[in-house]
Each structure stands twice: as structure tokens, then as C-alpha cells.
Amino acid sequence: MNHPDFQIAVGPLLYYWPRADVLAFYAQVADSPADIVYLGETVCSRRHELRLPDWHELAAMLRAAGKEVVLSTQTLIDVETDAHTMRRLTGQADYLVEAGDLGAIRSMKGRPFVAGPHLNAYHADTVNWLGSLGATRWVLPFELSADDMKALITSAGEDRPDAEVLVWGRLPLAFSARCFTARHYCLKKDDCGFRCIEHPDGLALNSQEGERFLTINGIQTQSAALHDLIDHTQDLVDMGVKVLRVSPQSRGTLEAVTKLDRIRQGGEVDSAIPLPPNMSRCNGYWQGQAGMKWSEPVAQP
């Protein structure tokens, strides 16, 4: 097998962690083989353990450690204060921005950006349109099968933005103006008590049959299982993917980054990555099946 050529990215932190935990996590990321680090609050602006100046301090620390830093904007903006924060992020010129919505792209005014995964770029014309607006990289939608990914990347042509794919981490599936975590505790969204901080990997949602079905993370709905495509790294690189993204979880994130680095170095790979408690894996979308399913990868000769 060839040594695949790709970059490793750590996506934005989707959960609400205590400040000390966030700082400790990014100190570890600074010492890791990750090439790209996304920073910022993308889910809920009420989360206040870190403010914008704190994210900038982390960005400076990570840049000094040799990382490419990208500042991510919030995905769902429904009040003016959110829009103000978005304009502050898109107005600065020190770091590349990951645009979470079309408003952020408009605010960029033609400057380079990363097109985030929730922009619904399922068609080559959309990908190329994003490129014409300044996108240098685009994160593919999570629901695509391997065949659909390959077809989309190929049809977008040679001048397309670089393709980035989530290969490890829970799948963010949907956003709502309603806070599901607050509702779980019978609280109002504006008086939620910041209960998300009690759930470092989100809050499990079971079906009526008692099976883990989804995860609620404030206004965000995620998969119950952890999406894992690391064993398909060679396939992804062969189809033209340039960046493989790891989404932070409370356990296993740095091990996933290390495993990807060993793969690209051609070294021996230990497939065991520790997962947070009571979390399983899924890769159904990659197989063209229901996203929650898991199929063991076929060993390559």
C-alpha cells in the first residue's frame, strides 16, 4: 500500500467543556501531529467558558506550534449578537475562517475561506460556486456514500476547492432554534443553567425500545454512534480528499490523530482507539446504508 498524502485536521469543539479542560485539550493538540486546527463556538453563543479573545489566544499559541489555524463561525445564527460575533470573525485577517452559513460567506466579501459541512454542497456546481466566492477548501456533507463522494469530487473538476472529510467523531445531523438539552431538564432556552457542561459528549437519546438513537447537544442533534472512516484513509486519498478531519470527543481524539499520522508515515497501526463511555461506532453512510450501521472494513491485500 502507498503512503497516503493528506493533512490531519482537528475540527471545532462541538461540546461545552469547562475552561480548564478546553485549555488542556488544545495544549495536547499543539504537541500532536495535527496540521490544521479549527477553533471557536459553532453551536451555541450562550456558552461562555471561552470568549472570542480566548479563542484568539489559543489561535496564537497553536500557530506558534506550527499549526494552520482556522476560526469557525456559528452554524445557526438567530439573534443580532450572534451576527455581530460572526462579523468580527469574518472581518479579521489574521486567520482563515470556516464559514458555517451563507451569511458568513457574504461577510467575507471574496476573501479566502473554508466552506463548512452544513452549507449543503451536494452538487459539483455548488462546489464550484463556493470556489468562485473564495472557498479554498470545502468539507463534504456527512451523509454521502463512498461512491457519491468520489463522483462529487471528480465532477467538480481539477479547479475545485480542496476536499475535506470527517473521518472520526460524532456526526452533527441537524440544528434547531430550540435547545433540546434545556427542554430535557424542563428549562427555558434563555434560562438553561448551562446544563450542557454536564455532558462532555452530549446527552444520549434512546428510542422507545431503549436503543441509543441520537445525541442531543444543546440546539444540535448528533448521531448516537461515533462515525469512523479512519480505516478507509487510502480510499479517501485515492478519490482526491486532501484533509481528514477528527472531531473532538472527551476521549480518543488525540489517539485518532496519532493513528492517522502513523498511516501516512507507513508505520504499524494499532486499530484500537479508546471511545467515550457507552459509545459505539458507525460507518453506514460510507456503505450507502443507514448512517447508524457499522460494517467491519475489509482488510486490504
Side-chain angles (χ1 to χ4, degrees), residues 13 15-27 38-42 44-59 61-62 71 74 85 88-89 194 197:
L13 176 61
Y15 305 102
Y16 192 30
W17 291 354
R19 178 185 178 86
D21 292 352
V22 176
L23 299 181
F25 172 74
Y26 284 111
Y38 292 80
L39 296 175
E41 178 56 56
T42 63
C44 178
S45 60
R46 285 180 54 76
R47 299 174 176 179
H48 60 280
E49 289 287 297
L50 274 75
R51 301 291 192 180
L52 194 54
D54 300 310
W55 291 116
H56 278 280
E57 287 186 15
L58 281 175
M61 181 272 291
L62 289 161
L71 300 180
Q74 198 170 318
T85 300
R88 289 180 64 187
L89 283 169
F194 308 104
I197 206 165

Side-chain angles (χ1 to χ4, degrees), residues 10-301:
V10 175
L13 176 61
L14 303 181
Y15 305 102
Y16 192 30
W17 291 354
R19 178 185 178 86
D21 292 352
V22 176
L23 299 181
F25 172 74
Y26 284 111
Q28 292 179 302
V29 171
D31 292 332
S32 78
D35 306 291
I36 304 166
V37 184
Y38 292 80
L39 296 175
E41 178 56 56
T42 63
V43 178
C44 178
S45 60
R46 285 180 54 76
R47 299 174 176 179
H48 60 280
E49 289 287 297
L50 274 75
R51 301 291 192 180
L52 194 54
D54 300 310
W55 291 116
H56 278 280
E57 287 186 15
L58 281 175
M61 181 272 291
L62 289 161
R63 174 178 280 178
K67 312 303 182 186
E68 176 191 332
V69 177
V70 184
L71 300 180
S72 299
T73 71
Q74 198 170 318
T75 302
L76 180 61
I77 295 176
D78 58 358
V79 295
E80 177 55 34
T81 53
D82 296 347
H84 176 69
T85 300
M86 178 269 288
R87 288 191 290 267
R88 289 180 64 187
L89 283 169
T90 57
Q92 57 81 39
D94 293 330
Y95 302 98
L96 193 63
V97 169
E98 179 187 36
D101 75 332
L102 292 177
I105 295 177
R106 181 178 183 181
S107 184
M108 291 299 299
K109 299 178 180 179
R111 297 190 302 277
F113 66 91
V114 178
H118 301 291
L119 292 174
N120 297 326
Y122 291 94
H123 192 277
D125 287 345
T126 304
V127 175
N128 291 325
W129 174 69
L130 290 170
S132 73
L133 297 176
T136 59
R137 188 161 69 241
W138 115 90
V139 185
L140 274 71
F142 306 124
E143 304 92 337
L144 297 177
S145 68
D147 290 341
D148 289 340
M149 281 189 196
K150 183 176 181 180
L152 177 56
I153 292 170
T154 301
S155 61
E158 295 296 326
D159 295 330
R160 64 180 179 268
D162 288 343
E164 179 173 338
V165 170
L166 174 68
V167 297
W168 193 90
R170 275 223 177 98
L171 294 168
L173 301 174
F175 292 82
S176 171
R178 172 176 290 177
C179 178
F180 299 111
T181 304
R183 184 176 178 83
H184 171 79
Y185 287 105
C186 299
L187 298 169
K188 295 180 180 180
K189 179 181 178 181
D190 293 336
D191 190 22
C192 64
F194 308 104
R195 301 297 292 268
C196 283
I197 206 165
E198 301 172 15
H199 304 283
D201 293 290
L203 182 60
L205 179 65
N206 294 341
S207 68
Q208 290 183 335
E209 292 74 28
E211 298 179 354
R212 289 186 178 271
F213 176 54
L214 294 169
T215 301
I216 55 177
N217 176 39
I219 67 169
Q220 184 184 66
T221 304
Q222 301 179 330
S223 61
L226 183 141
H227 178 69
D228 186 355
L229 298 182
I230 289 182
D231 289 327
H232 297 284
T233 293
Q234 186 68 59
D235 298 323
L236 288 160
V237 173
D238 287 346
M239 68 174 65
V241 176
K242 300 296 185 182
V243 179
L244 303 188
R245 175 182 288 206
V246 171
S247 185
Q249 303 286 163
S250 67
R251 188 180 182 202
T253 307
L254 277 299
E255 290 86 346
V257 170
T258 298
K259 181 174 179 178
L260 284 169
D261 185 55
R262 288 175 180 166
I263 290 172
R264 69 177 172 183
Q265 299 296 335
E268 293 294 325
V269 177
D270 181 359
S271 60
I273 297 175
L275 298 179
N278 302 314
M279 191 181 295
S280 60
R281 293 187 293 167
C282 66
N283 59 10
Y285 285 137
W286 172 265
Q287 310 289 347
Q289 302 173 2
M292 65 177 65
K293 292 186 176 295
W294 170 257
S295 299
E296 289 291 339
V298 178
Q300 298 296 319

